[in-house]
Amino acid sequence: GKETPASSPPSGEKAPASKFETIDVTNTDGVCKIMLNRPEKKNALNFQMYEEIGNALNEAGQDDSVVLAVLTGAGDYYCSGNDLGNFMNIPPDGVAKMAEEGGVILEKFVRSFIDFPKPLISLINGPAVGVSVTVLGLFDAVYATDKATFHTPFTSLGQSPEGCSSYTFPRLMGTAKASELLLFNRKITAVEAMERNLVTEVFPDHAFKQEATARVEKFAKLPKNSLQKSRNLTRDQLRETLHRVNKQECDVLVERWQSEECLMAIMNFFTAKGSKL
Amino acid sequence: GKETPASSPPSGEKAPASKFETIDVTNTDGVCKIMLNRPEKKNALNFQMYEEIGNALNEAGQDDSVVLAVLTGAGDYYCSGNDLGNFMNIPPDGVAKMAEEGGVILEKFVRSFIDFPKPLISLINGPAVGVSVTVLGLFDAVYATDKATFHTPFTSLGQSPEGCSSYTFPRLMGTAKASELLLFNRKITAVEAMERNLVTEVFPDHAFKQEATARVEKFAKLPKNSLQKSRNLTRDQLRETLHRVNKQECDVLVERWQSEECLMAIMNFFTAKGSKL
Amino acid sequence: GKETPASSPPSGEKAPASKFETIDVTNTDGVCKIMLNRPEKKNALNFQMYEEIGNALNEAGQDDSVVLAVLTGAGDYYCSGNDLGNFMNIPPDGVAKMAEEGGVILEKFVRSFIDFPKPLISLINGPAVGVSVTVLGLFDAVYATDKATFHTPFTSLGQSPEGCSSYTFPRLMGTAKASELLLFNRKITAVEAMERNLVTEVFPDHAFKQEATARVEKFAKLPKNSLQKSRNLTRDQLRETLHRVNKQECDVLVERWQSEECLMAIMNFFTAKGSKL
């Protein structure tokens, strides 16, 4: 299959440097692959990365050559979640201002998943943390290596769930199991995530890339309009609810980010060397 | 138990020929059993069969002697889904007319499941395809032989899900697993269907009929009003949503049936000898 | 940890007799533990017990020292459900009056679970029956001994589901499996309840108390506001629906309690010596 950078120029012209710095985007035979590309930071999401992922999804949604989109991570991690460094640059207007801006960025980021108009597939190549886990309820298929883990330690950081997980997780696995993840900070394996309906299929690490890629390539050859209309029937049933939940979750987080519980927890995180969640 | 054709005359009179041609309906000790009866066509649903099943359900709902209804198939198949022959008789007004009429028939058919006012049980005696699978989310119990398979190859035929499955399947098994069935054409086994909450219990084929029948007969002896009111509490929570989803799904299918993707896929199906979905 | 009776007086004063007669309530290190305490009646719920549990939850919700609440049973049973003796004291105004009053008590009881504003954890120490099972869909975590069983024999008693189970159970396990419990009187094991998302985790009986207590104590040390706000995001998504379902279920039960089916079933229950549900 021909592989081109997203929005590549007509052939013959020299490809420009990618407009994205934190992600790597390629379009090949109907598949738009968005790869989180800060492996040295375990693909932690800084503000620029939130924006670039959202922009890449919006472009893929509008690009007629794209049948479906794939999200994955470069290196050993899928994504280590929100970059806590985002909380380090307190602006002159202080914590309240930072929290408000963070809420706007997060709500927009999650909205780009809710409204993505085509099948969206995640290839979980390693540990997944925080918001990279919670948005999985908005994906149409999730393939994972057996080396992947799933961790959403919100309350241990004084925070609260996002990515519509306060709605999607109880719907996927029941409240009694969703609370283990969303309230009580339990880290689960790929197989457990499959049993809880977060993950479609788990592969041994040595076979993961090949097996997952084979599925994605096959799906991208299906009748495109049929795929898109079928998929959006399911999304349309929940769209309004998902937008409402996203807003509520971001409002609570903006409050949390200004709370003493959260500020203490983050301070402890940075001061405790080798601290583990 | 005494077995009589539905709406049988007083004993002593000669039973009339059944008013149904494509299904076989019997009422015995509170159980109305509706058997799809075109085994030579693998119980594919032609337009007459959609109508007759809907009518049989409506009558069973109103018949005070009926405690619950059972749907099953004659022969080796449970049901091979929509009879693609339905697309072969293009009326003078053309494809648009045919698609519109198909949409009306389908919406009415699914509505008769949504509004059936008593427990509804499916005995899956063999492979189940298409709409016979998607309406299972509207049943109160589903017993299957281990020879059964479940297949909904909508997108490979340029079509889209119905039977309220775009709502019920993600609710039963999560979006990541529902998409395998509704978007990506994966055929699953009876045990997989049970793990995904589509099926209540699976039996070895040799024991299937006896085990499933024993359960149905026992259930039909329970206090009738209690059974009906308890069941409708659950249905009433979703009734409005289900009707809305049914309508949306039929609207999309009417559009699909007129699309080039769908017409090409069906033409290929008929021209490719021995083609497999 | 220090253990005190709920609403204990300042130290130095003599503790008054507990204001509760049917339950035992203690507050220790953020955990409010409510123990059903009629072991000689297998912790069957009489009208006083419904009221006292509701009152204990309301107090725990308002008490700032309480981080989360735990419900468990004294003795070998968790709870044997509604005390059928509640139906024995027919007031002068007759069955209708008794049914109406029962409906008011039940709706208020379930409402105290829906609106409890903190994490709510159940420790299932033995068999659970009826409403003690159905309200589990409103808990945030459920830990069970492997000796526990779960049984909701509503239709065999001419009755109907409550505790919001007509909504929560199909959402947890699908209609095909929920009906086995809510319509067809099947008793399930602790492991089956875990597979159906009613239970978080099952322990061997000898380890149950220690393992479950360790989890509860750990959770109670998490940042309190974060825990409460995170939990209520999930509850808020469903609160309106749950109140509506609770009302509908109680209305149906008030009708059921006056029905011949129910009165006959309860009479049979009391006259048949050694009768088993």
Side-chain angles (χ1 to χ4, degrees):
Chain A
K2 65 182 166 60
E3 180 163 324
T4 56
S7 311
S8 66
S11 67
E13 292 186 26
K14 191 178 164 201
S18 167
K19 62 190 158 191
F20 299 121
E21 293 180 353
T22 64
I23 59 176
D24 183 53
V25 180
T26 53
N27 289 337
T28 312
D29 296 334
V31 177
C32 174
K33 181 169 150 191
I34 301 170
M35 180 180 277
L36 310 188
N37 199 15
R38 297 209 306 155
E40 74 286 0
K41 293 287 186 185
K42 299 179 177 173
N43 297 320
L45 296 159
N46 60 17
F47 285 155
Q48 183 182 358
M49 207 162 170
Y50 281 111
E51 297 265 18
E52 290 191 354
I53 293 170
N55 290 341
L57 284 173
N58 291 341
E59 287 178 22
Q62 287 163 25
D63 183 339
D64 270 351
S65 77
V66 172
V67 177
L68 54 81
V70 166
L71 195 69
T72 192
D76 294 333
Y77 260 67
Y78 176 69
C79 174
S80 56
N82 187 38
D83 190 332
L84 293 181
N86 290 336
F87 295 109
M88 290 296 99
N89 301 309
I90 310 286
D93 315 358
V95 172
K97 179 81 172 171
M98 180 200 71
E100 291 289 347
E101 286 179 357
V104 170
I105 288 170
L106 179 63
E107 190 185 344
K108 190 177 164 199
F109 174 74
V110 174
R111 204 185 310 137
S112 66
F113 288 86
I114 297 173
D115 284 337
F116 186 68
K118 302 172 183 180
L120 185 59
I121 298 177
S122 174
L123 306 190
I124 311 271
N125 57 296
V129 181
V131 68
S132 75
V133 177
T134 56
V135 293
L136 290 179
L138 304 172
F139 280 69
D140 299 289
V142 178
Y143 298 106
T145 165
D146 59 4
K147 284 194 176 164
T149 53
F150 301 78
H151 197 197
T152 50
F154 299 119
T155 62
S156 69
L157 289 169
Q159 303 188 30
S160 54
E162 13 65 341
C164 295
S165 60
S166 67
Y167 176 76
T168 61
F169 278 30
R171 201 169 184 257
L172 287 170
M173 62 191 83
T175 306
K177 289 176 183 167
S179 301
E180 276 194 304
L181 310 189
L182 299 181
L183 300 185
F184 303 135
N185 308 300
R186 186 170 158 213
K187 187 194 289 188
I188 61 173
T189 65
V191 168
E192 287 175 313
M194 184 176 64
E195 289 167 353
R196 289 162 189 241
N197 295 326
L198 259 180
V199 164
T200 309
E201 209 171 349
V202 178
F203 303 105
D205 193 59
H206 71 269
F208 166 66
K209 196 172 175 185
Q210 187 182 341
E211 292 287 341
T213 304
R215 280 158 181 72
V216 167
E217 288 175 356
K218 192 175 69 173
F219 299 162
K221 292 192 177 71
L222 288 167
K224 179 174 141 180
N225 297 320
S226 177
L227 203 54
Q228 188 168 337
K229 302 233 170 180
S230 296
R231 191 275 196 173
N232 287 333
L233 268 172
T234 289
R235 177 55 45 91
D236 286 343
Q237 313 305 346
L238 299 183
R239 192 184 305 276
E240 201 183 332
T241 299
L242 294 172
H243 282 303
R244 183 172 43 74
V245 171
N246 183 27
K247 177 81 170 66
Q248 288 177 326
E249 289 176 343
C250 290
D251 286 349
V252 172
L253 258 177
V254 167
E255 178 271 330
R256 288 283 84 208
W257 286 330
Q258 300 173 66
S259 70
E260 199 182 316
E261 280 181 356
C262 179
L263 297 173
M264 293 283 286
I266 290 172
M267 214 162 65
N268 287 338
F269 178 83
F270 280 108
T271 53
K273 273 284 179 218
S275 75
K276 287 274 189 186
L277 291 182
Chain B
K2 67 180 163 59
E3 181 163 322
T4 56
S7 312
S8 66
S11 68
E13 291 185 29
K14 192 178 161 200
S18 167
K19 62 191 158 192
F20 299 121
E21 293 180 354
T22 65
I23 58 176
D24 184 53
V25 180
T26 52
N27 289 336
T28 311
D29 295 334
V31 177
C32 174
K33 181 170 151 191
I34 301 171
M35 180 180 275
L36 310 188
N37 199 15
R38 297 208 309 152
E40 74 286 0
K41 295 287 186 184
K42 298 179 176 172
N43 298 320
L45 296 159
N46 61 18
F47 285 157
Q48 183 183 357
M49 208 162 167
Y50 282 112
E51 297 266 18
E52 290 191 354
I53 293 169
N55 290 341
L57 284 173
N58 291 341
E59 287 179 22
Q62 289 164 23
D63 183 340
D64 271 352
S65 77
V66 171
V67 177
L68 54 81
V70 166
L71 196 69
T72 191
D76 293 333
Y77 260 69
Y78 175 68
C79 174
S80 57
N82 187 37
D83 191 332
L84 293 181
N86 290 336
F87 295 109
M88 290 296 97
N89 301 310
I90 310 286
D93 316 0
V95 170
K97 179 80 172 173
M98 182 201 69
E100 292 289 347
E101 287 179 357
V104 170
I105 288 169
L106 179 64
E107 191 185 343
K108 190 178 162 196
F109 174 75
V110 175
R111 204 185 311 137
S112 66
F113 287 87
I114 297 173
D115 285 335
F116 187 68
K118 301 172 183 180
L120 186 58
I121 298 177
S122 174
L123 305 192
I124 311 270
N125 57 296
V129 182
V131 69
S132 75
V133 176
T134 55
V135 293
L136 290 179
L138 305 172
F139 281 67
D140 299 289
V142 179
Y143 298 107
T145 166
D146 58 4
K147 285 193 174 163
T149 54
F150 300 79
H151 198 197
T152 50
F154 298 119
T155 62
S156 69
L157 289 169
Q159 303 188 29
S160 54
E162 13 66 342
C164 297
S165 59
S166 67
Y167 176 76
T168 60
F169 278 31
R171 201 169 186 256
L172 287 171
M173 63 191 84
T175 305
K177 289 176 183 168
S179 300
E180 277 194 302
L181 309 190
L182 298 181
L183 300 185
F184 303 135
N185 308 299
R186 185 169 160 214
K187 187 194 290 187
I188 61 172
T189 65
V191 168
E192 287 175 313
M194 184 174 65
E195 289 166 353
R196 286 159 191 243
N197 296 328
L198 259 180
V199 165
T200 309
E201 208 172 350
V202 178
F203 304 104
D205 193 59
H206 70 269
F208 167 66
K209 196 173 174 184
Q210 188 183 340
E211 292 287 341
T213 304
R215 279 158 182 73
V216 167
E217 289 175 355
K218 192 176 69 174
F219 299 162
K221 291 192 179 71
L222 288 167
K224 181 173 139 180
N225 296 322
S226 176
L227 204 52
Q228 188 168 337
K229 301 234 172 182
S230 296
R231 191 276 197 171
N232 286 332
L233 268 171
T234 289
R235 177 55 44 92
D236 286 344
Q237 314 304 347
L238 299 182
R239 192 183 304 277
E240 202 183 331
T241 299
L242 294 172
H243 282 303
R244 183 171 43 74
V245 171
N246 182 26
K247 177 81 172 64
Q248 287 178 327
E249 289 177 342
C250 290
D251 286 349
V252 172
L253 258 177
V254 167
E255 178 271 332
R256 288 283 85 210
W257 286 330
Q258 300 173 66
S259 71
E260 200 182 316
E261 280 181 357
C262 178
L263 297 172
M264 293 285 286
I266 290 172
M267 215 163 63
N268 287 339
F269 178 82
F270 281 108
T271 53
K273 275 282 176 219
S275 74
K276 287 276 190 185
L277 291 183
Chain C
K2 66 181 163 61
E3 182 164 321
T4 55
S7 310
S8 66
S11 70
E13 292 185 28
K14 190 176 164 203
S18 167
K19 62 191 158 189
F20 298 121
E21 292 180 354
T22 65
I23 58 176
D24 184 54
V25 180
T26 52
N27 288 336
T28 311
D29 295 334
V31 177
C32 174
K33 181 169 151 192
I34 301 171
M35 180 179 277
L36 311 188
N37 198 16
R38 296 209 308 155
E40 73 286 1
K41 295 285 188 187
K42 298 176 177 172
N43 298 321
L45 296 159
N46 60 18
F47 284 156
Q48 183 183 358
M49 208 161 166
Y50 281 111
E51 297 266 19
E52 290 190 354
I53 294 170
N55 290 341
L57 284 172
N58 290 342
E59 288 179 21
Q62 288 163 24
D63 183 341
D64 270 353
S65 76
V66 172
V67 176
L68 53 80
V70 166
L71 196 69
T72 192
D76 292 334
Y77 260 67
Y78 176 68
C79 174
S80 57
N82 187 37
D83 190 332
L84 293 181
N86 291 337
F87 294 110
M88 291 295 97
N89 302 310
I90 311 285
D93 316 357
V95 171
K97 179 82 173 173
M98 180 200 70
E100 292 289 348
E101 287 178 357
V104 170
I105 288 168
L106 179 64
E107 191 184 343
K108 190 177 163 197
F109 174 75
V110 175
R111 203 185 309 134
S112 65
F113 288 86
I114 298 173
D115 283 337
F116 187 69
K118 301 173 183 179
L120 185 58
I121 298 178
S122 173
L123 305 192
I124 311 271
N125 57 297
V129 181
V131 68
S132 75
V133 176
T134 55
V135 292
L136 290 179
L138 304 172
F139 280 68
D140 299 290
V142 179
Y143 298 106
T145 164
D146 59 3
K147 284 194 174 163
T149 54
F150 300 78
H151 197 199
T152 50
F154 299 120
T155 63
S156 70
L157 290 169
Q159 303 188 29
S160 54
E162 12 65 341
C164 296
S165 59
S166 67
Y167 176 76
T168 60
F169 278 31
R171 200 169 186 258
L172 286 170
M173 63 190 86
T175 305
K177 288 177 183 168
S179 300
E180 277 194 301
L181 310 190
L182 299 181
L183 300 185
F184 303 136
N185 307 299
R186 188 172 157 213
K187 187 193 289 188
I188 62 172
T189 64
V191 167
E192 287 176 312
M194 184 175 64
E195 289 166 353
R196 287 161 190 241
N197 295 328
L198 259 179
V199 165
T200 309
E201 208 172 351
V202 178
F203 303 103
D205 194 59
H206 71 269
F208 167 66
K209 197 173 174 183
Q210 186 182 342
E211 292 287 341
T213 303
R215 279 157 182 75
V216 168
E217 288 175 354
K218 191 176 70 174
F219 300 161
K221 292 191 178 73
L222 288 166
K224 180 173 141 179
N225 297 322
S226 177
L227 203 53
Q228 186 167 338
K229 303 234 171 183
S230 295
R231 191 277 195 170
N232 287 332
L233 268 171
T234 288
R235 176 54 46 90
D236 287 344
Q237 312 304 346
L238 298 183
R239 192 184 303 277
E240 202 183 331
T241 299
L242 294 172
H243 282 303
R244 183 171 44 73
V245 171
N246 182 26
K247 178 79 172 64
Q248 288 178 325
E249 288 176 342
C250 290
D251 287 349
V252 172
L253 258 178
V254 168
E255 178 271 330
R256 287 284 83 210
W257 285 330
Q258 301 173 66
S259 72
E260 200 182 315
E261 279 181 358
C262 179
L263 297 173
M264 293 283 287
I266 290 173
M267 214 163 66
N268 287 338
F269 179 82
F270 280 109
T271 54
K273 273 281 179 223
S275 75
K276 288 275 191 186
L277 291 184

